[in-house]
Amino acid sequence: MAQHFLLSTQARDLSLMKLFNMSETEAFEYFKAIRWSDTEGVPVCPSCGTCHEPYFISSRKQFRCKHCEHTFSVTSGTIFASHKKPLKVYLIAIALFTNAVKSLSALQLSRDLDVQYKTAWVLSQKIRESLMPTKEEEGVKLEGVCEIDGVYVGNYIRPANNIDDRIDRRKAHKPKKRVVISIRQRADSEFDEVVGAVKTKTFIVKSEESKDIQELVYKNVKQGAELHSDEHQGYDIFHAHYDMKRVNHSKEYKSSEGACNNQSESYNSRFRRMEYGQCHHISNLYLSNYAREIAYREDTRRMSNGAIFRDIFTRCMNTPVSNEFCGYWQGNHRVAERLGA
Ligand SMILES: [Zn+2]
């Protein structure tokens, strides 16, 4: 039998050892190379956009633009702006995050990096934020064969101690309940090398009813696509726009007509493992980031860890300063959860 991809040597080309042994100068050069990859490592002024060799203030590891005199560092204007830790710490954090296929709790990261919990929390949220779809990725509609399903979060009510005090939890009001809707596009054997799903979009909604999911499905799945879902009534409405295939999970996982949403179930399963096994009590405020993280991990499952590391690092360098995470413990917060499309 052929060896599983993840067991092959090609799947492991990220060496933590190398990162640990990196000098701060090497880390700095690496940051430069990825940050300004378009200009082969030559700094581009984030203020005026001029690209020519700026003055280098070696004591502060900062640059000064010859054109507009703006002073900037290798992380200015990125999600790691105003960084306090040595650059190497950020590389190691991304590497640990890359290898944690069921996500990584801030507490564990703080132990691994020997930094405060607060530092680790913000750092892991910044990495998550960099995984959010870009405007360009957001605009792409899914097509071909797609699957859709929802996974419920925050709807657990602990049963009362005394049996007489227990309520029917199905009918209880659950204000914190949310549904993570995942829509996954299946690989096309003509173009894609992998089997299974290749592109995943995730959304946070308050229920799986059609009123909550209708718009986001129309916005993100091309009309006429083949859409597989389970028997939940919320999906009934889509028969008019899509070639719907329904599978009844109380009977089977794949119907005789080929309907199955196992790729979406696979997403749900990894999400649950993150929630139960790593990041307990995920707040609704940041749920969209966690949902997206799992989608990213699912979609990159067949890439080597070195390739994923470089991709996440590149994304971090291309993600602008966030007023939700830069200065988080000084009072900058996200004020509302990100719901819907
Ligand atoms: Zn400038």
Side-chain angles (χ1 to χ4, degrees):
M1 204 181 108
Q3 189 187 31
H4 190 282
F5 168 71
L6 292 177
L7 296 175
S8 67
T9 33
Q10 294 94 294
R12 322 180 287 269
D13 53 356
L14 170 65
S15 165
L16 268 172
M17 218 49 190
K18 255 191 207 160
L19 292 180
F20 286 137
N21 292 331
M22 219 180 213
S23 70
E24 206 36 31
T25 315
E26 284 169 330
F28 180 72
E29 289 303 320
Y30 192 31
F31 261 79
K32 260 175 75 183
I34 298 287
R35 166 87 197 264
W36 294 296
S37 57
D38 292 346
T39 52
E40 286 167 3
V42 178
V44 179
C45 172
S47 175
C48 69
T50 308
C51 169
H52 52 60
E53 223 31 271
Y55 298 112
F56 182 54
I57 309 162
S58 59
S59 57
R60 288 193 275 157
K61 286 253 185 332
Q62 282 180 332
F63 306 95
R64 180 158 297 147
C65 178
K66 286 177 185 165
H67 185 73
C68 72
E69 296 196 343
H70 179 68
T71 308
F72 57 98
S73 80
V74 74
T75 58
S76 295
T78 75
I79 193 97
F80 292 145
S82 318
H83 70 277
K84 317 273 188 307
K85 297 283 168 193
L87 291 173
K88 203 162 93 169
V89 171
Y90 297 87
L91 294 177
I92 294 171
I94 295 173
L96 294 169
F97 188 87
T98 300
N99 285 341
V101 292
K102 287 163 190 97
S103 194
L104 182 62
S105 72
L107 202 52
Q108 186 169 334
L109 185 63
S110 84
R111 288 180 185 143
D112 286 346
L113 295 178
D114 187 20
V115 297
Q116 277 188 38
Y117 172 78
K118 289 177 167 186
T119 312
W121 189 89
V122 169
L123 184 48
S124 53
Q125 292 299 351
K126 283 179 179 172
I127 299 175
R128 271 185 200 107
E129 182 66 13
S130 81
L131 302 180
M132 293 308 278
T134 58
K135 278 268 168 305
E136 204 184 353
E137 288 168 331
E138 257 177 17
V140 177
K141 281 191 175 186
L142 302 181
E143 56 189 353
V145 185
C146 301
E147 299 182 10
I148 184 167
D149 200 14
V151 56
Y152 288 69
V153 191
N155 62 336
Y156 180 74
I157 297 176
R158 195 162 75 166
N161 176 43
N162 194 314
I163 194 155
D164 297 328
D165 299 335
R166 290 186 195 162
I167 51 167
D168 184 350
R169 289 182 287 162
R170 288 167 301 180
K171 291 179 191 146
H173 175 57
K174 298 161 186 162
K176 284 188 185 163
K177 187 182 100 175
R178 295 292 178 270
V179 189
V180 178
I181 297 283
S182 62
I183 313 176
R184 308 197 68 191
Q185 178 182 320
R186 276 195 217 157
D188 185 329
S189 54
E190 245 182 79
F191 308 105
D192 298 304
E193 283 176 11
V194 296
V195 286
V198 283
K199 246 184 247 166
T200 309
K201 292 193 174 215
T202 53
F203 309 93
I204 313 299
V205 288
K206 289 194 174 173
S207 84
E208 216 175 340
E209 302 302 325
S210 33
K211 65 175 168 48
D212 282 332
I213 57 174
Q214 194 177 356
E215 194 194 338
L216 65 90
V217 172
Y218 292 153
K219 244 188 189 172
N220 290 286
V221 185
K222 259 194 193 154
Q223 201 173 342
E226 189 176 313
L227 192 57
H228 294 237
S229 76
D230 58 23
E231 294 270 87
H232 194 286
Q233 58 184 30
Y235 303 116
D236 292 350
I237 192 168
F238 300 123
H239 281 271
H241 283 74
Y242 302 103
D243 177 11
M244 288 299 289
K245 301 262 193 283
R246 311 291 288 269
V247 57
N248 186 345
H249 279 164
S250 60
K251 280 199 215 144
E252 58 207 352
Y253 295 117
K254 186 175 184 176
S255 77
S256 47
E257 288 86 50
C260 98
N261 67 345
N262 288 347
Q263 293 302 319
S264 273
E265 297 295 344
S266 163
Y267 171 91
N268 296 353
S269 157
R270 196 189 291 250
F271 185 91
R272 277 285 183 247
R273 286 168 189 190
M274 163 177 73
E275 191 196 11
Y276 292 163
Q278 273 285 327
C279 310
H280 317 291
H281 297 294
I282 296 170
S283 126
N284 283 343
L285 209 49
Y286 300 101
L287 185 57
S288 53
N289 290 64
Y290 287 93
R292 167 63 190 165
E293 177 195 343
I294 295 300
Y296 179 83
R297 291 192 189 277
E298 276 285 317
D299 290 349
T300 55
R301 70 199 178 281
R302 283 293 173 126
M303 278 162 65
S304 72
N305 60 351
I308 299 173
F309 169 82
R310 282 186 294 278
D311 185 56
I312 297 182
F313 185 35
T314 308
R315 279 172 169 272
C316 288
M317 289 291 97
N318 290 319
T319 306
V321 187
S322 154
N323 59 4
E324 293 177 346
F325 299 115
C326 288
Y328 177 86
W329 298 103
Q330 283 74 42
N332 287 348
H333 284 103
R334 181 173 296 179
V335 284
E337 56 182 309
R338 294 173 180 169
L339 282 171

